[in-house]
Amino acid sequence: MDRVFVNVQRYGNMSSATVPVALCEALEEGRIRPGSLLLLTGFGGGLTWCAHLVRWGDRVTPLGQSAVELPPCDRTAVELIRDVMTRKKNYIA
């Protein structure tokens, strides 16, 4: 297990976010070194799965932090999704 990083016990299956979240956490914990060979696997509902074999580069720390802040959001996730679906429907029609 010292060569495996697992975070499903903290968050459950987050679908497409599982791999990038685990990668960020492994980097923050210092588990990835320059030149590391990473096998990134994800499993979803049914027979959905993916796997990537990645040779990590020389840099394992960010170049810096951005001072940019996102504006506050006053809509729920459902409202945002409905808005996108409406725009997509109008675009196709």
Side-chain angles (χ1 to χ4, degrees):
M1 287 306 291
D2 61 322
R3 297 184 65 169
V4 176
F5 188 87
V6 180
N7 67 354
V8 71
Q9 73 280 7
R10 282 193 290 270
Y11 309 111
N13 184 354
M14 296 181 291
S15 209
S16 63
T18 300
V19 171
V21 169
L23 179 60
C24 288
E25 289 183 344
L27 284 165
E28 289 171 351
E29 292 180 17
R31 304 257 324 251
I32 300 174
R33 292 178 296 285
S36 293
L37 190 59
L38 310 176
L39 177 60
L40 310 173
T41 59
F43 299 89
L47 296 174
T48 306
W49 63 277
C50 73
H52 302 279
L53 188 60
V54 176
R55 172 76 61 188
W56 197 255
D58 292 332
R59 188 172 50 80
V60 293
T61 56
L63 291 174
Q65 293 186 356
S66 173
V68 176
E69 292 186 26
L70 294 173
C73 183
D74 58 351
R75 295 187 291 169
T76 67
V78 172
E79 290 170 332
L80 292 169
I81 291 168
R82 284 186 179 143
D83 182 43
V84 170
M85 290 172 61
T86 300
R87 284 186 283 150
K88 184 175 180 181
K89 182 179 175 182
N90 291 337
Y91 177 75
I92 294 172

